[in-house]
Amino acid sequence: MPPSDATSYADRADARALAERIALEHGLNPAWTAQALAGARYRAAVARLMMPPQAGTPKNWAAYRSRFVEPIRIRAGVAFWRQHEATLQRAETLYGVPAEIIAGVLGVETIYGRQTGQFRVLDVLATLSLDFPKGRSDRSAYFRSELGQFLKLCEEQGTAPETVLGSYAGAIGLPQFMPGSIRRYAVDFDGDGRIDLSRSPADAIGSVGHYLARHGWKPGWASHFDVKPPENQDALGKLLAPDIKPTFSAREMGELGAALPPEGQAHPGALAMVLLQNGRDAPTLVAGTDNFYAVTRYNQSSYYALAVIQLGQAVRLESQRGSR
């Protein structure tokens, strides 16, 4: 059984062995690494929050959307847009990712920095590395990797590991980057010589733009198109089989009976038939492009991606309306 809440990992042989492995893999001082991990504490809340929804809970896009495309986030987004519009536009110019998509990510993730998490990242990553909760697919290997990335990041930035706060999954700052993503994709966008995703909105904006660009965002392309699905269920099943991965040309979709608007029919890239459940009501379907897929590389959920896109659109429209 897991340890009691806030139990130290200092006396755990597996924690000491993990510290040795991390130090070797990342070229860290073994004594420093061991001391850092010995300071970690088991957090029962983290294990609880990592559990999946109760079995049988139906997915519902309308309910999901209402959590994110709503007045509080839109108002916060408009204020953020107006304060940082020049930086958002600079990121769009440099990375080709629209300002509204970057704004949508930051709004969905943390309401523009209002909710970045109050868990010690060291505790989170140690808990999920060494005591991953039973009852769901084991992701402890992923979190062991992120723990190593986190300790290396702390060494690089001269940060005490126990001082860094984040989400119950170990994500950090306005854009909720995992430590490995910070080291791979975060950028110093304010030019102060330091990457700080918790206190620098500019670094957060630039890092989101860089991340999406590196994950396949194509400048000038739409994220998705409306689509009317084919009536033939076999054809619909064929279109849905690849899930959110763009696979079909617009012509192939049409041949299978899916009806796209003119701009969708002219799209030069591959498309995915994306289905979002609405509980017992009819599902929502869109034809996702490579750009829709790029947003799902940030969070592997079509519901997340469409919420980001629609929140960003709402923020941009409200910002433009207020400036007229």
Side-chain angles (χ1 to χ4, degrees):
M1 60 183 296
S4 301
D5 192 38
T7 299
S8 170
Y9 282 103
D11 298 325
R12 289 264 297 262
D14 56 349
R16 292 194 295 271
L18 179 57
E20 290 177 7
R21 187 159 73 247
I22 287 172
L24 183 63
E25 288 177 356
H26 292 280
L28 297 170
N29 181 289
W32 178 86
T33 307
Q35 182 180 24
L37 195 48
R41 302 287 184 271
Y42 173 79
R43 296 297 176 186
V46 167
R48 184 177 68 252
L49 288 165
M50 284 300 295
M51 294 302 291
Q54 186 175 354
T57 304
K59 291 184 176 182
N60 191 316
W61 159 242
Y64 186 96
R65 182 186 188 280
S66 70
R67 291 169 48 200
F68 297 106
V69 189
E70 47 81 31
I72 290 175
R73 285 179 202 261
I74 294 172
R75 284 196 298 270
V78 170
F80 184 88
W81 184 287
R82 290 175 179 167
Q83 184 176 359
H84 302 289
E85 183 173 6
T87 305
L88 286 162
Q89 294 300 332
R90 181 161 62 94
E92 179 172 339
T93 299
L94 182 61
Y95 298 117
V97 179
E100 66 191 66
I101 296 297
I102 297 172
V105 168
L106 296 174
V108 168
E109 290 291 344
T110 62
I111 319 183
Y112 307 96
R114 293 186 187 182
Q115 297 177 352
T116 57
Q118 293 299 311
F119 290 96
R120 292 201 319 171
V121 172
L122 177 65
D123 294 341
V124 169
L125 296 178
T127 297
L128 297 176
S129 294
L130 296 163
D131 292 294
F132 195 86
K134 307 297 183 185
R136 64 162 299 166
S137 57
D138 184 10
R139 298 184 65 207
S140 57
Y142 167 76
F143 287 104
R144 286 194 294 272
S145 173
E146 288 298 328
L147 178 58
Q149 295 282 354
F150 173 67
L151 292 174
K152 182 64 175 179
L153 178 67
C154 288
E155 185 222 29
E156 290 172 340
Q157 296 190 337
T159 302
E162 68 275 9
T163 65
V164 182
L165 301 180
S167 76
Y168 68 85
I172 297 167
L174 278 75
Q176 293 289 275
F177 272 24
M178 292 299 289
S181 289
I182 295 176
R183 297 192 64 233
R184 286 188 292 271
Y185 306 113
V187 295
D188 172 21
F189 212 58
D190 60 13
D192 68 352
R194 177 181 176 83
I195 295 171
D196 188 346
L197 300 185
S198 296
R199 298 175 187 84
S200 171
D203 287 359
I205 288 167
S207 296
V208 171
H210 183 231
Y211 183 99
L212 291 174
R214 289 283 298 275
H215 283 80
W217 185 278
K218 292 181 169 52
W221 282 18
S223 60
H224 66 284
F225 303 101
D226 293 334
V227 63
K228 183 178 179 181
E231 294 183 3
N232 182 283
Q233 292 303 300
D234 289 338
L236 178 59
K238 183 175 181 179
L239 287 169
L240 291 173
D243 196 20
I244 57 178
K245 177 69 174 174
T247 305
F248 303 96
S249 69
R251 180 181 58 79
E252 288 169 334
M253 272 198 164
E255 290 173 349
L256 286 165
L260 291 162
E263 59 271 23
Q265 295 173 27
H267 181 67
L271 297 167
M273 180 72 82
V274 179
L275 185 147
L276 300 95
Q277 299 286 354
N278 283 307
R280 291 190 173 90
D281 295 331
T284 296
L285 291 112
V286 299
T289 71
D290 284 336
N291 286 352
F292 190 95
Y293 188 72
V295 181
T296 68
R297 300 308 86 196
Y298 204 104
N299 180 315
Q300 296 183 28
S301 162
S302 55
Y303 298 79
Y304 172 89
L306 197 53
V308 161
I309 292 161
Q310 293 191 2
L311 175 61
Q313 290 171 340
V315 166
R316 176 178 56 80
L317 289 172
E318 284 298 313
S319 298
Q320 292 174 343
R321 183 178 293 119
S323 63
R324 289 171 185 166

